Amino acid sequence: PRDTLTRLETMSMMSDIDMPLTAMRMQIASGINIIVQVSRLQDGSRKMTHITEVLGFDLTSSSYITEDIYVREYEGVNAKGEVISRFEPTGYIPRCLEQLVEHGMDLPPAVYQAAERRKATAK
């Protein structure tokens, strides 16, 4: 997902609009809430690998602030050469949840369950 943001920067810099890099990064960070990353795995299949919330841009470190909501966990390859993996919630509840709910969307129960487990292990 971070590569997605830097690719957007690159495409923006190719335009005729002259904008300072910091201002462009701030615009990108404020204009995108969620990135759904799809990648080709080693067996040739395409799978979602991340669902990530973009929280902003940190001027001090010059980096995007992101938090994974879901990530693909890899377990290996089976006898047929297929990648064995699971798409798992991280336990992070996105800050944009209220906006999702306003648009009639909600997170699957597994996300809330993972958040409870994450909270319990943090104590």
Side-chain angles (χ1 to χ4, degrees), residues 7-41:
R7 287 179 185 214
L8 285 170
E9 283 180 22
T10 302
M11 289 190 318
S12 296
M13 287 188 286
M14 294 168 66
S15 75
D16 291 338
I17 298 170
D18 189 26
M19 178 184 279
L21 181 60
T22 302
M24 180 180 28
R25 288 175 168 169
M26 299 292 284
Q27 289 289 311
I28 290 170
S30 70
I32 298 172
N33 288 334
I34 302 280
I35 295 173
V36 177
Q37 181 76 40
V38 177
S39 297
R40 186 178 304 276
L41 304 185

Side-chain angles (χ1 to χ4, degrees), residues 27-92:
Q27 289 289 311
I28 290 170
S30 70
I32 298 172
N33 288 334
I34 302 280
I35 295 173
V36 177
Q37 181 76 40
V38 177
S39 297
R40 186 178 304 276
L41 304 185
Q42 79 181 57
D43 63 3
S45 64
R46 287 191 182 269
K47 303 265 192 233
M48 279 191 289
T49 58
H50 295 80
I51 298 178
T52 303
E53 183 176 29
V54 179
L55 300 170
F57 184 78
D58 181 33
L59 293 171
T60 306
S61 65
S62 291
S63 62
Y64 291 97
I65 304 164
T66 61
E67 189 72 46
D68 291 328
I69 303 167
Y70 272 88
V71 294
R72 184 160 296 281
E73 302 286 338
Y74 299 96
E75 299 172 1
V77 179
N78 67 17
K80 295 179 184 178
E82 300 166 331
V83 173
I84 303 167
S85 63
R86 303 178 325 278
F87 199 52
E88 294 288 328
T90 62
Y92 171 76

